[in-house]
Amino acid sequence: MLTDLYVFADSPVHRARPVVKIAALVVLCTSLFVFEGWIAVTVAGVLVFAGFALAGLGPRHAIVSLRPALWILAAIFAVQLYMTDVVFAGFIVARFVVLILAAALVTLTTRTSEFVDGILSALRFAPSWVPKAQIALAVSLFLRFVPLVRTALDDVREAQRARGLDRNLKAILVPLVVRILKTADEVSQAIYARSFD
Amino acid sequence: MIAFTDVSVEKNGVAILGGITVHLKERRVGIIGRNGSGKSTFARLFNGIEKPTSGRVALDAPHEREALRRHVGFVFQNPDNQIVYPIVSEDLAFGLKNLKLSARETQARIEAVLERFDLTHLRDRFTHQLSGGEKQMIALAGVLVMRPRMIVLDEPTTLLDLWNKRKFMTAIDALDEHVVLVSHDLDLLADFDRVLHIEDGTIVADGDPATVVAGYVASARC
Amino acid sequence: MDTRDVVFIALFAAIVAALAVFPPITLPVVGVPVTAQSLGVMLAGGVLGAARGGLALVLFLALVALGLPLLAGGRGGFGVFLGPSGGFLVGWIVAAFAIGFLTELFWNRLNYVVALAICVAGGVVLLYAIGVPWIAAVAKIPVGTALTGSLPFIPGDIVKALVAAGVIVTVKRSYPIITPRSRTQKQT
Ligand SMILES: Nc1ncnc2c1ncn2[C@@H]1O[C@H](COP(=O)(O)OP(=O)(O)O)[C@@H](O)[C@H]1O
Ligand SMILES: [Mg+2]
């Protein structure tokens, strides 16, 4: 199953329209680079903190969002400390933290399906050169086939394990890729068979 | 219903079907033959997934000039490759989108087809979570919701267990539409109107099921 | 772009997603995760070609941005692009496109060595040429320092190129999808 990172709750942040949240995120990120300095980072930090509180998200969610970037942020801090001073090193890292948490605030309070629906309905107003139907089809097919490809990958790994080849990536990937390409060909035939142009 | 006139198919310079001429009017037509004999290629000609290299495939008058796909539905062996959308109801709506029906009509057709096969409980399920038997039924429903006049099925029961096979065939038997069934399950064809035996890309036997199947079984005894 | 191309794009994006099941290899400096997914990037280009390969990554990363945790370790959302290593993710699109372009160009002469050179050029050299300056810019550190910090990941990426090249040439023989780009070469 494809679950998103959404954290279920009912709050003004959750209820805000996805496009509004994206716009706010873009404005915030841009400002952090245009108005470089502690003032902007502090203001943005307070806003993001308020957003987290309003959405009912706690420190746990913040930590989970930051963890993947933790080591690289530590390394950057060390390099900056060596090159400049603790204030500037702190600023650079703080800016990343605010950026990542701001993005997390949007991600954790918006269902992927809301975004997808929003994009697909926005596509109706897109100019005619945008391949709307194909974008919609690609998204649906992707959501439909991630579970299928996962199953196929498990099958192939199991089959290769029986032959003692389960640590051989090539022995796993060749059958997987060929199988998916064949599937793709039959899927496109099925789409053809089921649609009138 | 549908006529093949001297139809040949070549792929990469290899002749796969050679000069098939046949006129099918019967409500139930079976196709048998060994692996690689050309059954799938033949079946795919019915609704234009496959195009003849030479010759002509056409519906009988008054539809002879219309696209085959408008009137002929196709069910594949593996429903996983036929189901396109993540949710059952979305998948059933897929073909209907192209018909430019109203939302209400689309909905009504989906409800009708689900009810017809007793599948209403699957409407909002994720397609990838269905069992093999359920998937094949949804694949069939996705074709029938388009209201074709004829439906071609290429070994649709191969991946099903005995129970689901029986359930699926009961559904097929009840169809008013014309049916063309490619199958290795010879007993499924017992009460069909006509059976074609394909070998090496040509029709080597054509007639009532008892005679054709008996000949086919005899040919396998070497 | 016909329906078949759309299906290839969607299914390859799904392959990149499925490759997240291989646990990330943890090297001394974590942050740019070494995962089988960047192998999927090389395969997307080398199997589907430039346009379809690049678009498969666009589709995959768009859905990651919109909140599906499809990156190895269950990561996703806009935050992964705003972190210091976001350049490597954006670089996946360029890398898949470049690998696809070169594969189309050398299609008739494609053997293991050529495929390996293509995978290293697109999936390592070009990818780092995007990811490293990106880190340097957003973290305000010299490019040289950023490169030094990224060096530990290069051996892992070379290994992935070795695997990807083998897969690409084998798939070419059994199920070719790409149409060659070169005009001057004779068809054999
Ligand atoms: N793209 C292709 N190029 C060359 N030969 C093909 C191709 N596709 C199918 N064939 C060959 O055509 C023959 C008939 O295939 P098919 O119609 O699938 O047979 P069946 O469904 O009866 O098993 C087989 O021998 C197969 O190897
Ligand atoms: Mg067949």
Side-chain angles (χ1 to χ4, degrees):
Chain A
M1 232 332 280
L2 279 180
T3 45
D4 50 22
L5 295 161
Y6 182 79
V7 175
F8 184 82
D10 188 26
S11 80
V13 189
H14 284 77
R15 283 194 301 268
R17 291 183 44 203
V19 58
V20 173
K21 288 189 256 193
I22 298 281
L25 182 62
V26 170
V27 170
L28 187 106
C29 296
T30 317
S31 319
L32 278 173
F33 283 93
V34 175
F35 308 106
E36 203 159 69
W38 273 106
I39 298 173
V41 168
T42 311
V43 172
V46 169
L47 284 175
V48 171
F49 182 83
F52 262 68
L54 195 59
L57 298 169
R60 195 169 54 86
H61 298 112
I63 292 168
V64 168
S65 311
L66 288 170
R67 198 162 42 205
L70 212 57
W71 287 105
I72 194 166
L73 289 181
I76 289 168
F77 185 80
V79 170
Q80 287 295 358
L81 195 60
Y82 174 76
M83 288 191 334
T84 59
D85 56 39
V86 68
V87 176
F88 192 73
F91 161 71
I92 292 289
V93 171
R95 185 166 70 180
F96 276 124
V97 169
V98 172
L99 281 170
I100 293 171
L101 290 181
L105 182 59
V106 176
T107 301
L108 297 177
T109 60
T110 319
R111 287 214 156 92
T112 304
S113 56
E114 284 181 71
F115 282 129
V116 172
D117 293 347
I119 289 172
L120 294 184
S121 61
L123 276 176
R124 276 186 294 141
F125 306 105
S128 59
W129 52 265
V130 177
K132 302 159 205 166
Q134 289 170 318
I135 294 174
L137 180 65
V139 172
S140 299
L141 283 172
F142 177 82
L143 298 175
R144 155 87 182 91
F145 281 100
V146 166
L148 190 98
V149 177
R150 282 187 184 150
T151 313
L153 180 59
D154 289 341
D155 289 354
V156 174
R157 283 173 92 185
E158 206 164 87
Q160 298 297 11
R161 189 169 303 141
R163 301 167 63 195
L165 287 174
D166 58 314
R167 315 241 4 117
N168 181 336
L169 269 180
K170 190 187 158 191
I172 292 171
L173 289 173
V174 170
L176 176 73
V177 169
V178 171
R179 181 161 156 185
I180 296 305
L181 294 179
K182 281 186 181 149
T183 302
D185 267 331
E186 196 161 312
V187 168
S188 40
Q189 286 180 355
I191 291 173
Y192 172 89
R194 290 176 63 191
S195 53
F196 311 139
D197 296 324
Chain B
M1 183 76 206
I2 190 165
F4 292 70
T5 318
D6 198 20
V7 173
S8 298
V9 175
E10 256 180 46
K11 274 189 205 165
N12 305 322
V14 185
I16 294 176
L17 292 180
I20 290 191
T21 300
V22 68
H23 190 181
L24 301 171
K25 295 181 290 269
E26 293 73 11
R27 274 192 65 240
R28 294 289 182 266
V29 175
I31 297 175
I32 57 177
R34 65 171 79 185
N35 293 133
S37 55
K39 301 182 299 297
S40 294
T41 311
F42 182 50
R44 280 159 202 238
L45 285 165
F46 278 79
N47 84 333
I49 307 174
E50 192 80 63
K51 301 272 188 296
T53 315
S54 65
R56 183 173 146 76
V57 183
L59 295 164
D60 289 351
H63 303 289
E64 72 272 22
R65 300 215 158 271
E66 292 171 32
L68 293 165
R69 295 196 267 179
R70 264 203 166 284
H71 299 285
V72 185
F74 197 99
V75 175
F76 292 77
Q77 178 178 1
N78 187 348
D80 262 328
N81 298 349
Q82 175 149 4
I83 297 173
V84 173
Y85 277 75
I87 313 267
V88 169
S89 54
E90 285 176 353
D91 192 72
L92 296 178
F94 167 66
L96 295 175
K97 264 186 229 157
N98 301 294
L99 294 180
K100 308 229 181 327
L101 300 176
S102 69
R104 160 129 32 104
E105 169 72 6
T106 302
Q107 216 42 48
R109 279 215 195 180
I110 292 173
E111 294 304 328
V113 81
L114 286 171
E115 222 154 275
R116 178 173 173 190
F117 296 112
D118 213 4
L119 298 170
T120 308
H121 58 291
L122 299 180
R123 183 181 47 220
D124 301 318
R125 293 271 302 276
F126 283 103
T127 48
H128 70 91
Q129 290 175 343
L130 304 179
S131 74
E134 289 170 336
K135 276 185 194 162
Q136 193 58 293
M137 290 302 297
I138 293 301
L140 175 66
V143 169
L144 287 171
V145 79
M146 313 283 290
R147 313 236 163 112
R149 283 154 24 92
M150 174 182 235
I151 158 164
V152 179
L153 307 102
D154 189 358
E155 302 186 35
T157 56
T158 318
L159 301 175
L160 304 182
D161 64 30
L162 215 50
W163 285 266
N164 281 309
K165 191 174 289 185
R166 197 162 295 158
K167 215 164 137 193
F168 188 80
M169 282 315 292
T170 310
I172 297 294
D173 282 339
L175 296 181
D176 293 327
E177 291 84 352
H178 284 232
V179 169
V180 175
L181 176 67
V182 179
S183 185
H184 292 295
D185 279 315
L186 302 176
D187 45 329
L188 297 182
L189 308 175
D191 47 8
F192 270 42
D193 305 315
R194 184 173 178 184
V195 174
L196 308 180
H197 174 190
I198 295 193
E199 224 46 81
D200 286 335
T202 55
I203 298 173
V204 293
D206 177 357
D208 63 284
T211 322
V212 177
V213 169
Y216 176 57
V217 172
S219 73
R221 237 178 252 125
C222 38
Chain C
M1 245 341 94
D2 61 15
T3 303
R4 186 167 177 257
D5 296 322
V6 176
V7 178
F8 279 135
I9 289 165
L11 263 69
F12 242 87
I15 290 186
V16 178
L19 287 176
V21 302
F22 290 102
I25 302 161
T26 315
L27 284 168
V29 190
V30 192
V32 190
V34 181
T35 71
Q37 286 188 302
S38 47
L39 218 163
V41 174
M42 298 179 193
L43 294 180
V47 173
L48 296 185
R52 291 176 296 199
L55 287 172
L57 269 300
V58 170
L59 175 63
F60 173 75
L61 291 174
L63 286 158
V64 166
L66 298 184
L68 293 181
L70 298 169
L71 293 173
R75 296 169 310 127
F78 293 101
V80 295
F81 295 90
L82 296 177
S85 50
F88 283 92
L89 292 177
V90 175
W92 279 2
I93 297 169
V94 185
F97 184 90
I99 290 171
F101 184 86
L102 292 172
T103 309
E104 288 170 11
L105 204 59
F106 292 101
W107 186 246
N108 293 331
R109 278 177 282 165
L110 198 74
N111 57 30
Y112 183 74
V113 178
V114 174
L116 178 60
I118 290 173
C119 287
V120 170
V124 183
V125 178
L126 182 59
L127 186 62
Y128 281 71
I130 296 165
V132 169
W134 184 301
I135 297 188
V138 293
K140 290 192 174 290
I141 55 178
V143 173
T145 314
L147 181 61
T148 316
S150 308
L151 283 181
F153 299 102
I154 291 187
D157 284 328
I158 303 276
V159 171
K160 279 180 264 177
L162 289 165
V163 175
V167 177
I168 289 167
V169 291
T170 314
V171 171
K172 182 198 170 187
R173 277 195 285 129
S174 53
Y175 211 91
I177 299 293
I178 288 178
T179 36
R181 190 174 283 272
S182 49
R183 287 152 293 152
T184 48
Q185 284 192 356
K186 285 193 291 280
Q187 294 288 323
T188 42

